[in-house]
Amino acid sequence: MKFKAVAPYLSAALLLSVCLLLPLAFVPKPETALVEPESVLEADSRVQTFALYDGAELEQAPIESGALPADSLARSEGIFAAVMENLVIDGGEVGQEIGSGTNSYALERGGDRMLVTELYREWNGDWHNWLRVWLDAESGVVYRLYYSANVLENAGAYVSSWEGLLAAAAEETALALGFEGWEAAADGPLSYAVTLTDENGVKYNYSAVLLSYEDSAPSLIVDLDIKLESLEAS
């Protein structure tokens, strides 16, 4: 089984819509920006710290009981629920809960310390779904999102329409939450660079890789990995 890019005009439209969705779904209230302009440098430093951890150059540090802000877990769970509701392709009933969990830890670099919350869920419906999200435990900024799914049942309902289903859900959420602007460009056959701008002019630079596999069986696999590379003030 070999992953391949979806048709260029379809994958571009889908991926741009998905990436447009991401920062929006992660805002606790539509009128609240993720990062205030005066804190962009500090927030970007955290992005770079997480990137080192994601690249296996930093290790987790445990956190003591009570270290997380009081509303942190509820915010993280709300963000995860929003991603599930809007991003997951599976339109079937949940047939089997395989596993889920939440893990919070600290990352330390150069005397600075940040808190990360990681959430995951694996379940079966029409698809076997795996969703994992890493985010800033204090601000709610999402550093990475990974979604992988392979169809188990009712494949005919998805094989020719999954791009449109996912793109429509992303666009609906984006319109509801009202992000101000975005730019995107392919930087490889399977990868894209996407810049999103919030209402305060802060830019969120994401990289994304979208893979899919289809055949006439029918079989269908979708694999989406999105990472925040940097933040910039306008």
Side-chain angles (χ1 to χ4, degrees):
M1 209 175 269
K2 182 180 179 182
F3 280 118
K4 64 178 181 179
V6 293
Y9 71 94
L10 288 175
S11 63
L14 171 64
L15 188 54
L16 298 187
S17 297
V18 171
C19 291
L20 179 59
L21 159 69
L22 294 177
L24 306 178
F26 302 155
V27 182
K29 297 180 181 179
E31 69 274 11
T32 302
L34 282 172
V35 175
E36 297 296 332
E38 60 270 19
S39 62
V40 168
L41 287 177
E42 178 183 352
D44 183 66
S45 177
R46 291 186 173 195
V47 173
Q48 305 315 315
T49 297
F50 179 80
L52 291 173
Y53 165 72
D54 198 38
E57 296 183 52
L58 284 179
E59 294 186 356
Q60 298 179 11
I63 58 176
E64 60 278 7
S65 177
L68 293 175
D71 63 348
S72 176
L73 185 56
R75 181 210 296 265
S76 298
E77 291 174 343
I79 290 168
F80 190 78
V83 173
M84 279 192 55
E85 180 180 355
N86 291 288
L87 187 62
V88 170
I89 302 166
D90 194 341
E93 297 293 328
V94 176
Q96 180 186 16
E97 286 282 356
I98 300 173
S100 63
T102 303
N103 183 30
S104 295
Y105 46 86
L107 300 178
E108 299 175 349
R109 178 171 71 109
D112 294 327
R113 188 171 186 264
M114 60 181 285
L115 303 179
V116 173
T117 295
E118 180 182 330
L119 304 96
Y120 71 90
R121 186 186 183 202
E122 184 178 9
W123 74 102
N124 287 343
D126 283 349
W127 299 64
H128 175 207
N129 303 279
W130 171 258
L131 179 64
R132 193 174 181 186
V133 177
W134 296 256
L135 52 87
D136 190 295
E138 296 171 280
S139 70
V141 171
V142 170
Y143 296 124
R144 184 181 177 189
L145 181 153
Y146 178 70
Y147 173 55
S148 184
N150 61 281
V151 72
L152 300 174
E153 299 181 1
N154 302 317
Y158 300 99
V159 166
S160 63
S161 62
W162 68 269
E163 294 100 336
L165 292 171
L166 189 53
E171 182 177 4
E172 182 178 349
T173 303
L175 291 174
L177 296 177
F179 217 78
E180 296 294 324
W182 55 275
E183 299 177 1
D187 60 2
L190 302 172
S191 59
Y192 296 79
V194 182
T195 297
L196 302 104
T197 306
D198 71 17
E199 62 184 9
N200 287 335
V202 177
K203 297 181 183 295
Y204 303 78
N205 299 315
Y206 283 91
S207 65
V209 175
L210 176 63
L211 307 175
S212 73
Y213 170 85
E214 293 183 34
D215 66 21
S216 59
S219 297
L220 176 58
I221 298 172
V222 175
D223 193 87
L224 177 65
D225 196 358
I226 299 178
K227 299 180 182 182
L228 182 59
E229 302 291 344
S230 65
L231 295 176
E232 301 175 62
S234 59

